Amino acid sequence: MFDRYQYAGIFDEMFAGDGTIRLHYAPVFDRLDRLGQGAVLRRADAAKTLFRVQGITFTVYQDADGVEKLFPFDLVPRIIPAAEFDLLQRGLTQRITALNHFCHDIYHDQRILREKVVPPEMIYTARMFRREMLNVDVPGGIYVNICGTDLIRDSDGRYLVLEDNCRTPSGVSYVLENRSVLKRVFPLLFTEYRVRSVEDYPLNLLRSLQHIAPGGNDNPRVVVLTPGVFNSAYYEHSFLARQMGVQMAEGRDLIVNDNVVFMRTTAGLQRVDVIYRRVDDDYLDPLCFRPDSSLGVPGLMNAYRVGNVAIANAVGAGIADDKAIYPYVPDMIRFYLSEEPILANVQTFICARELDRRYVLDHLEKLVVKATNEAGGYGMLMGPMSTAAQRAEFAEKIRADPRNYIAQPLVQFSQHPSLIDNHFEGRRVDLRPYILFGSDIKVMPGGLTRVALRAGSMVVNSSQGGGSKDTWVLEDDAP
């Protein structure tokens, strides 16, 4: 099944450059090799059946063939040795700490702006900067309670941060389901490894949410606020609520009375202490943000400002995952923590800067251009794969609104064996670990490995045809 496998000069997670198998992958490779094609394909079919029966889906609004999709699952796990994960854990802890300092500073003293580490115009022109949050103290001083930071590995195998997701990071339910399904259909893969558990994530998430409850309540009521069944991540909202043992609510289920939030239940109104919101800022409160929103709760922001309810992630935390703010995170780490960044960024050109903009416009055929507030692989130009017409279109967009675009060199990020039809081929992968900030900082030992299942594609998003793998972090460096 590996006869057609190609390396093409790309860093491969399973194979070294000379074609030898990396030590921590040897037992998995041997198991796949001994089983043979028929047994592997039967397990892949069993996994697909489990995903269908359990309704593990995502939504693609733009797909003419249908909205609801099964989330593609790739059978070969990604394996991260203990030493590698230790580096990631330290780097991600450092990063979320700096991002929280940054959010507090931006909405309070603005020291980083006064000292011109970050240009003020980059903040004040950011779509996710919320003036309504100026001088508002958030519970526990924590703005980013849940973060999903996207990582890639370059051609040398070095981990790089691609972006931080500090608003409503999604995908963690698939991490847990991937592990559950792989254990059921391929338990023998685990026999020669000591793989760290990811199953405690819902409990850790609940404790992080309870930590920020106002008023020192020993048993705070937590709810998951969802936009509803038609949201692309609705499966995850219901999954996490069920796993945490808390109720899920839509905006119409909540009411604010005397700046206190209550939930309508069959037993009457019950006070809500913490809202894990999966609704964007714009739609949270029609009295404060978009008046046409039917997804939010009128008066919620007043209850939040006076400290009667906690919201995770904090309103305004989206300023930290604006793609034009991302290039400044290494400077934030130096400024707030007096440390050098453990994890490097990808080189980034900010189109709002004149010199950067000129370079980008002159080299569009070599760069990846991204809209600063888009997600899911949308609003992006893959320069080396683009046509002249596409580059001309993006050049006009950049000239019209330079603040809305950044550009990066095309990084040849790593590949991993993936089951394609009846054999294995290399496909590009990234990694989204999930970091929780409560009484302490916890980095999930694993994360969502997304895989670009289309041949030649470097876009891993599920909305663009990507799938995912189970991600193993080993207890020690050798299986």
Side-chain angles (χ1 to χ4, degrees):
M1 297 181 74
F2 283 93
D3 287 348
R4 308 183 203 176
Y5 202 80
Q6 297 179 353
Y7 307 97
I10 300 165
F11 185 89
D12 192 281
E13 299 288 340
M14 181 180 281
F15 297 96
D18 60 359
T20 58
I21 301 162
R22 300 187 192 279
L23 178 63
H24 55 285
Y25 273 99
V28 161
F29 177 86
D30 290 342
R31 178 70 64 181
L32 293 170
D33 191 46
R34 288 199 303 272
L35 278 173
Q37 186 183 82
V40 171
L41 293 179
R42 285 193 295 274
R43 284 162 174 78
D45 287 341
K48 188 179 295 185
T49 299
L50 280 173
F51 269 70
R52 183 181 296 110
V53 169
Q54 294 175 203
I56 304 171
T57 62
F58 68 99
T59 302
V60 181
Y61 299 116
Q62 289 89 345
D63 196 321
D65 295 331
V67 173
E68 202 77 7
K69 303 288 183 184
L70 285 180
F71 196 58
F73 173 65
D74 188 59
L75 202 62
V76 189
R78 180 189 194 153
I79 304 175
I80 301 174
E84 281 184 18
F85 181 69
D86 178 65
L87 170 74
L88 297 181
Q89 191 170 35
R90 290 185 291 109
L92 294 169
T93 298
Q94 180 192 59
R95 200 167 177 100
I96 196 174
T97 302
L99 288 169
N100 271 284
H101 280 301
F102 170 72
C103 288
H104 184 274
D105 189 21
I106 286 302
Y107 292 115
H108 290 80
D109 297 338
Q110 300 191 336
R111 190 165 59 93
I112 201 168
L113 304 186
R114 287 188 281 107
E115 299 191 25
K116 302 192 183 307
V117 177
V118 176
E121 61 271 17
M122 296 302 295
I123 301 300
Y124 298 136
T125 58
R127 186 165 67 86
M128 297 309 298
F129 175 63
R130 300 298 181 193
R131 287 170 172 79
E132 298 86 352
M133 288 298 295
L134 289 170
N135 298 313
V136 174
D137 293 322
V138 302
I142 304 172
Y143 284 79
V144 184
N145 307 89
I146 306 104
C147 185
T149 294
D150 291 344
L151 304 171
I152 58 174
R153 298 182 84 174
D154 65 12
S155 55
D156 296 322
R158 182 178 58 143
Y159 284 99
L160 301 173
V161 177
L162 194 60
E163 64 180 49
D164 303 286
N165 296 282
C166 301
R167 281 176 277 178
T168 54
S170 62
V172 74
S173 60
Y174 303 116
V175 177
L176 302 173
E177 293 287 31
N178 287 349
R179 178 63 55 85
S180 173
V181 167
L182 193 63
K183 280 184 173 180
R184 292 181 65 180
V185 303
F186 220 157
L188 291 176
L189 277 185
F190 291 85
T191 56
E192 297 184 65
Y193 288 90
R194 295 176 62 220
V195 181
R196 298 190 198 184
S197 172
V198 294
E199 286 82 359
D200 60 352
Y201 179 85
L203 176 61
N204 291 333
L205 173 61
L206 179 61
R207 287 174 174 170
S208 297
L209 296 171
Q210 291 172 331
H211 174 74
I212 61 172
N217 189 340
D218 291 335
N219 188 28
R221 178 178 295 274
V222 177
V223 301
V224 176
L225 178 62
T226 176
V229 67
F230 295 109
N231 183 264
S232 61
Y234 181 78
Y235 170 80
E236 175 157 296
H237 306 165
S238 59
F239 175 88
L240 289 176
R242 186 169 64 251
Q243 292 294 314
M244 287 191 288
V246 304
Q247 290 178 294
M248 185 167 62
E250 297 182 29
R252 60 189 175 184
D253 299 320
L254 303 179
I255 187 172
V256 177
N257 187 8
D258 275 345
N259 290 332
V260 176
V261 182
F262 296 91
M263 183 172 181
R264 295 183 174 97
T265 74
T266 54
L269 295 179
Q270 296 186 354
R271 180 166 180 167
V272 172
D273 301 290
V274 183
I275 297 174
Y276 175 31
R277 54 79 171 250
R278 299 300 294 262
V279 176
D280 288 341
D281 289 356
D282 285 339
Y283 302 95
L284 271 178
D285 185 346
L287 300 182
C288 187
F289 300 119
R290 287 186 54 153
D292 60 341
S293 172
S294 60
L295 303 177
V297 185
L300 177 60
M301 281 300 293
N302 278 344
Y304 184 47
R305 287 191 189 101
V306 299
N308 287 337
V309 68
I311 299 176
N313 286 341
V315 178
I319 188 63
D321 68 9
D322 185 308
K323 291 180 177 65
I325 300 301
Y326 151 91
Y328 296 99
V329 176
D331 294 325
M332 295 177 200
I333 292 170
R334 298 182 186 101
F335 185 76
Y336 295 117
L337 307 181
S338 300
E339 299 172 358
E340 283 300 307
I342 296 169
L343 297 172
N345 278 12
V346 175
Q347 181 187 13
T348 304
F349 301 96
I350 302 172
C351 292
R353 296 172 178 166
E354 184 177 355
L355 290 178
D356 283 12
R357 183 167 65 253
R358 287 181 189 172
Y359 179 85
V360 170
L361 292 171
D362 289 341
H363 298 85
L364 282 173
E365 73 283 357
K366 298 179 180 178
L367 300 171
V368 179
V369 181
K370 301 177 182 178
T372 56
N373 287 289
E374 292 285 350
Y378 297 108
M380 183 167 66
L381 174 77
M382 299 290 288
M385 295 85 167
S386 65
T387 65
Q390 289 170 331
R391 293 193 294 274
E393 177 188 352
F394 262 78
E396 288 304 311
K397 290 180 178 180
I398 292 168
R399 292 188 185 100
D401 186 9
R403 171 61 179 80
N404 193 42
Y405 293 94
I406 56 103
Q408 297 169 328
L410 183 66
V411 178
Q412 294 292 341
F413 57 94
S414 64
Q415 70 174 21
H416 193 289
S418 298
L419 184 61
I420 307 297
D421 297 327
N422 60 0
H423 60 281
F424 294 111
E425 295 182 12
R427 290 293 188 267
R428 305 301 181 102
V429 292
D430 76 350
L431 174 65
R432 178 179 291 180
Y434 295 87
I435 310 102
L436 297 174
F437 199 149
S439 58
D440 56 4
I441 297 173
K442 293 185 182 295
V443 181
M444 173 189 257
L448 184 65
T449 289
R450 299 182 298 178
V451 52
L453 291 174
R454 294 175 181 167
S457 175
M458 298 184 72
V459 181
V460 298
N461 306 81
S462 56
S463 57
Q464 306 289 313
S468 70
K469 295 174 171 289
D470 191 14
T471 306
W472 296 1
V473 172
L474 302 184
E475 289 285 359
D476 41 44
D477 282 331

